[in-house]
Amino acid sequence: MAMTMRILSVSIRAELDVVSCRQRARQIAALCGFGLQDQARIATAASEVARNVYNYAAPGRAEFLIEGETAPQVLTIRIEDQGPGIAELDRILAGQYKSQTGMGVGLIGAQRLMDRFTINSRPGAGTVVELRKLLPAHAPLLTPALVGDIGARLAALPTEATLTEVQQQNRELLNTLAELKARQEELLQLTRELEDTNRGVVALYAELDEKAGHLRRADEMKSRFLSNMSHEFRTPLSSIRALSKLLLDRVDGELTVEQEKQVSFILRGAEDLSELVNDLLDLAKIEAGKIDIRPGSFAVADLFSALRGMLRPLLVSESVRLEFDEAADLPLLCTDEAKLSQILRNFISNALKFTDAGEVRVSAVFLADEDAVRVSVRDTGVGIPEASQQLVFEEFTQIENRLQQRVKGTGLGLPLCRKLAGLLGGRVELQSTLGVGSTFSVVLPVRCAPQPRSDAPAAAAAGEDEPGLPVLVVEDEESTRLLYARFLHGSAFRPVFAASVREAEEQWQARPPVAVLLDVSLKGEDSWRWLTDIKSDPRRAAVPVVLATETDDKRKGLALGADAYYIKPLSRLELLSTLDYLTSGEAGANAGQRKENSL
């Protein structure tokens, strides 16, 4: 667990100590890299809590600490006393209580000024208040040596500075008034600009409505074209293939060697064109959402047996063997067998095309961590350069190699495989070494979990109609999201996915979750601050947050309000047991104790 670095301690016995606490808080904030506004906020919050200690529970003590070993670190101000405690703490924090002396206003103000505010008060045992503020992004990472240097610089500053502190407060007040005036002028200017642009926005909406109408009509035309093309293209191609086979079978008489060669070219061209049309139609149907998934239970061994007989005719050379490994120990798959067969036929066909000698081996393994099956097609062919391995999944893309002149293709098979795998809730993988061979794999869940189309409504994508308690999963890695979906499948929870903080806020507004599973290492986003926002919001603070990340800074996570902290990879048992505990009544009853133990 990350260590806590102590900067300074200030005793609170007299009124001058309250001023000293404010002064030290501002000085420490400045040395830690906070701006002038945050310095004033931190100093004000510290002095308000310190004044409560002086008025009701002196003597007390204020400690200034740095928590966390990764950026952004946390400035923590811990103020404690051994006084009588606070009798009506819940009413004070809810804004429902105010004494004649004004007690309670200072606590609420300090809570609003800081990123994180926790208080623990027991009758006769004193009160502990902890104020936390995330260091700004530009602040340097503080090490024990730098913290020691800050302590030395503080020791060199004067402490008896009542008049100086009052003057500093006056300057802060004047700066605040000047800033408010500047903000008011900015608001007036912004209002004028909004009025000027409002007419342009109205015109833009009208233009967008017109474009939307064009797109709707274009989509209808595309659908009609697909239905017509399905019939108009396939019918003449079928006729050409049938007539070519009749001629090659000598139904109408013998053919010369040249005639047989020419008719063979016609037949091969018609078959290639038919394959191209089929792939184009399949891709278009997937994009239009017109392909239905028909899951059913079947054994992988039975699928291999069918493929073995179906693909044997593709072996045109005795130097290449097609082998299928045993698949007897695998669980039954519940997915669309026809679409999985189509994916594997594409993989095997490509492997046979680009393998001169050796073997093409088909195998399958069970992935217990993902509750999925990986089916792989490995060849000893020409291989694919590393720089081109992602290009093969782009439509109409073919990689140049020594067999390219002999082997023709459409460049649509692999993109189609990737989209079909996505529809079945899985993914495709590729490992290849140039001159050694390639391994194409499809990973599918044991039970089909079809993925929604990218243009589907967010509610449908999140599984709004699925049973279970919603858990907001904020994770930007697709493979990890798939893993969490497998973990939560069949449990009392259902995942609601978000790839960014903005999406997480939208999902929360649409359906409040019972818990949050958060990765603090989202690309280009500061989810540490989002965590503090959640735990500082009275309406959302009770929702438990589980951090699952590669960043090893557990103490900072717990200090900012996380209810649990795990280093990836997180196991299914850990995730489910943690969610069960945090969403149960027992977790709520022990929340205060857990927070106290984490400090």
Side-chain angles (χ1 to χ4, degrees):
M1 182 177 290
M3 63 179 176
T4 299
M5 296 174 282
R6 181 175 173 275
I7 301 176
L8 185 70
S9 178
V10 176
S11 63
I12 305 172
R13 296 178 178 273
E15 189 167 5
L16 284 178
D17 294 333
V18 177
V19 179
S20 177
C21 183
R22 176 187 177 91
Q23 183 184 39
R24 288 308 195 189
R26 190 183 63 254
Q27 292 169 347
I28 291 172
L31 292 173
C32 288
F34 287 98
L36 292 176
Q37 288 188 12
D38 281 336
Q39 293 176 30
R41 292 188 182 101
I42 294 169
T44 301
S47 66
E48 287 296 331
V49 179
R51 185 169 298 279
N52 277 346
V53 172
Y54 166 69
N55 287 334
Y56 304 103
R61 183 167 59 97
E63 281 189 318
F64 297 86
L65 313 165
I66 295 293
E67 291 183 319
E69 295 180 339
T70 60
Q73 293 172 295
V74 184
L75 171 63
T76 299
I77 305 174
R78 179 185 175 95
I79 302 176
E80 59 182 340
D81 63 64
Q82 301 298 320
I86 302 175
E88 300 190 59
L89 180 59
D90 292 339
R91 291 187 60 199
I92 290 173
L93 296 180
Q96 300 171 353
Y97 176 84
K98 180 181 177 182
S99 68
Q100 294 180 352
T101 60
M103 181 180 179
V105 176
L107 290 178
I108 295 176
Q111 184 179 30
R112 292 172 178 170
L113 290 170
M114 303 296 284
D115 288 336
R116 179 81 176 141
F117 176 95
T118 58
I119 182 169
N120 185 13
S121 182
R122 296 190 296 272
T127 301
V128 177
V129 178
E130 291 187 336
L131 308 170
R132 291 184 172 88
K133 193 79 170 177
L134 284 169
L135 269 64
H138 63 270
L141 190 67
L142 296 178
T143 62
L146 290 176
V147 171
D149 182 61
I150 290 176
R153 294 170 66 180
L154 288 171
L157 295 174
T159 56
E160 299 294 336
T162 305
L163 178 60
T164 303
E165 185 61 27
V166 171
Q167 291 174 342
Q168 177 64 31
Q169 291 186 39
N170 288 337
R171 284 193 294 269
E172 291 174 358
L173 179 59
L174 290 174
N175 290 336
T176 302
L177 291 174
E179 183 179 351
L180 287 174
K181 183 178 179 180
R183 291 288 176 85
Q184 184 180 17
E185 293 176 353
E186 290 177 3
L187 286 174
L188 291 174
Q189 179 65 24
L190 181 60
T191 301
R192 288 192 291 269
E193 291 179 359
L194 288 175
E195 290 174 352
D196 292 338
T197 57
N198 185 55
R199 291 183 293 274
V201 172
V202 172
L204 178 60
Y205 274 123
E207 184 177 350
L208 288 175
D209 287 339
E210 183 181 358
K211 296 292 185 183
H214 288 316
L215 289 175
R216 283 192 296 269
R217 290 191 292 273
D219 186 61
E220 293 172 358
M221 292 177 62
K222 176 183 176 182
S223 299
R224 289 197 299 270
F225 171 74
L226 287 175
S227 61
N228 292 333
M229 181 172 137
S230 176
H231 175 73
E232 299 297 335
F233 275 25
R234 284 175 172 169
T235 300
L237 285 174
S238 298
S239 299
I240 294 172
R241 293 164 62 189
L243 292 173
S244 299
K245 289 179 180 179
L246 285 175
L247 291 174
L248 291 175
D249 291 340
R250 271 69 171 182
V251 173
D252 293 325
E254 287 296 326
L255 299 177
T256 66
V257 175
E258 185 62 28
Q259 287 173 336
E260 182 177 4
K261 181 178 179 182
Q262 292 172 1
V263 173
S264 298
F265 285 154
I266 293 172
L267 176 59
R268 192 175 305 119
E271 290 175 344
D272 291 342
L273 186 56
S274 179
E275 180 183 351
L276 173 62
V277 170
N278 290 336
D279 289 346
L280 277 173
L281 288 174
D282 286 341
L283 285 170
K285 286 180 179 179
I286 292 175
E287 292 175 356
K290 297 182 181 295
I291 282 192
D292 296 325
I293 303 300
R294 297 182 175 86
S297 296
F298 61 92
V300 177
D302 294 339
L303 175 63
F304 281 7
S305 178
L307 289 172
R308 184 184 293 111
M310 186 186 308
L311 297 173
R312 284 291 183 188
L314 295 181
L315 288 170
V316 295
S317 172
E318 295 182 356
S319 60
V320 180
R321 303 183 309 279
L322 177 59
E323 303 288 347
F324 287 81
D325 289 346
E326 291 294 328
D329 298 332
L330 297 175
L332 290 177
L333 281 182
C334 182
T335 189
D336 193 320
E337 183 178 4
K339 294 190 171 44
L340 175 56
S341 177
Q342 185 176 358
I343 293 171
L344 294 178
R345 289 199 308 270
N346 267 306
F347 285 171
I348 297 172
S349 175
N350 278 349
L352 292 174
K353 287 178 182 177
F354 295 102
T355 302
D356 274 337
E359 68 173 13
V360 174
R361 182 169 295 274
V362 185
S363 60
V365 295
F366 176 61
L367 306 178
D369 291 342
E370 300 184 40
D371 192 26
V373 171
R374 175 187 284 116
V375 186
S376 302
V377 177
R378 178 173 57 84
D379 64 59
T380 56
V382 295
I384 303 171
E386 183 177 356
S388 302
Q389 290 181 11
Q390 291 304 315
L391 296 177
V392 298
F393 293 104
E394 296 182 6
E395 295 166 8
F396 299 105
T397 299
Q398 295 185 354
I399 307 303
E400 291 294 331
N401 57 70
R402 58 185 174 82
L403 298 179
Q404 196 67 46
Q405 297 299 322
R406 178 169 62 86
V407 178
K408 300 296 182 181
T410 64
L412 294 175
L414 292 177
L416 178 60
C417 290
R418 183 172 63 176
K419 292 188 177 182
L420 288 174
L423 285 176
L424 299 178
R427 65 183 186 274
V428 295
E429 298 175 344
L430 168 61
Q431 294 180 342
S432 184
T433 302
L434 190 62
V436 176
S438 304
T439 301
F440 285 88
S441 305
V442 57
V443 179
L444 294 180
V446 172
R447 297 191 61 83
C448 179
Q451 296 299 305
R453 304 199 319 271
S454 59
D455 58 344
E464 183 178 15
D465 296 329
E466 295 179 6
L469 301 173
V471 175
L472 180 57
V473 180
V474 188
E475 172 62 59
D476 58 353
E477 291 292 338
E478 184 176 355
S479 59
T480 307
R481 292 200 300 269
L482 181 63
L483 183 65
Y484 290 152
R486 300 282 74 74
F487 283 174
L488 297 180
H489 179 72
S491 71
F493 306 95
R494 63 177 173 88
V496 178
F497 291 109
S500 64
V501 170
R502 179 184 60 80
E503 289 183 16
E505 286 287 353
E506 293 174 355
Q507 296 286 18
W508 197 311
Q509 293 298 324
R511 63 195 65 80
V514 298
V516 177
L517 181 59
L518 174 64
D519 181 4
V520 297
S521 302
L522 300 177
K523 294 182 177 67
E525 293 209 66
D526 186 358
S527 47
W528 286 113
R529 296 192 181 276
W530 189 62
L531 171 62
T532 64
D533 291 342
I534 294 174
K535 291 302 182 178
S536 299
D537 186 346
R539 299 169 298 175
R540 303 195 288 181
V543 177
V545 178
V546 179
L547 296 187
T549 179
E550 296 175 350
T551 302
D552 188 3
D553 207 341
K554 184 174 182 179
R555 184 172 185 86
K556 181 170 72 174
L558 297 177
L560 293 177
D563 297 85
Y565 196 107
Y566 292 101
I567 303 298
K568 289 181 178 179
L570 175 64
S571 71
R572 184 175 190 270
L573 179 61
E574 287 175 327
L575 176 60
L576 292 181
S577 61
T578 301
L579 291 177
D580 286 337
Y581 175 75
L582 292 177
T583 56
S584 67
E586 179 184 0
N590 296 335
Q593 184 65 35
R594 285 188 291 105
K595 291 300 180 186
E596 183 178 357
N597 293 339
S598 70
L599 297 173

